[in-house]
Amino acid sequence: MSEKFVVGYDGSAGSKRALDFALNHARAGGGSVVVAHVLEWSAYSFLTPEELEERHKRRKEELERAESHLIKPALAAIDASGIEVTSVIRYGHIAKVLCDIARETEATQMVVGRDGDGGIAARVFGSTAGSLVQGAPVPCTVVP
């Protein structure tokens, strides 16, 4: 069985290392890669219809910007690799959505990068990588 890697990708140096890690392992084992970008999005309550419409418009613009400025360049850079690569862009809580994507795509492993800049907030509230390691539905590799 070939492996399918879901890579949390945000364009940071850590996520680029995670993508390289997944691509190298997919290449070696004939696997595939899903490049997943999650835009953090929280639900607001008590918005007027006008505010909801404006928010929907901004959300659509953010999705289009992520596709054109982040995902397309990443996919173009690995296009000639011969590895099957797909992409997903979603809104929501990053760790939860990445876990959902792993389940939906029947991934065998998740890969994320660590940037090391978590600081006190990450220690108090937790980091995305920490949340994934604790709750991932498949093995999760954190690339330093």
Side-chain angles (χ1 to χ4, degrees):
M1 176 175 94
S2 62
E3 289 207 64
K4 181 179 282 189
F5 298 87
V6 169
V7 179
Y9 187 81
D10 63 5
S12 67
S15 71
K16 289 176 182 178
R17 290 189 303 271
L19 181 56
D20 287 342
F21 176 91
L23 289 169
N24 288 334
H25 282 75
R27 183 179 299 111
S32 61
V33 175
V34 178
V35 179
H37 180 68
V38 181
L39 295 159
E40 197 73 54
W41 190 263
S42 61
Y44 293 138
S45 55
F46 309 112
L47 294 178
T48 66
E50 294 81 16
E51 291 169 325
L52 285 171
E53 184 178 327
E54 178 61 30
R55 191 158 196 237
H56 178 71
K57 180 182 172 190
R58 282 194 323 267
R59 182 177 174 177
K60 184 178 177 188
E61 290 169 353
E62 287 178 344
L63 287 168
E64 290 170 354
R65 193 169 36 254
E67 176 73 23
S68 65
H69 290 87
L70 188 67
I71 298 301
K72 282 186 178 180
L75 295 180
I78 56 179
D79 187 41
S81 69
I83 300 168
E84 178 187 340
V85 180
T86 57
S87 65
V88 178
I89 303 174
R90 298 231 182 111
Y91 270 100
H93 181 272
I94 296 171
K96 180 188 178 313
V97 172
L98 287 174
C99 288
D100 291 345
I101 292 168
R103 284 186 200 92
E104 292 164 12
T105 62
E106 299 179 350
T108 56
Q109 189 171 158
M110 297 172 65
V111 183
V112 294
R114 180 183 62 80
D115 62 15
D117 292 333
I120 190 72
R123 287 192 285 280
V124 173
F125 300 110
S127 66
T128 298
S131 297
L132 284 174
V133 168
Q134 294 177 32
V138 295
C140 183
T141 300
V142 180
V143 178

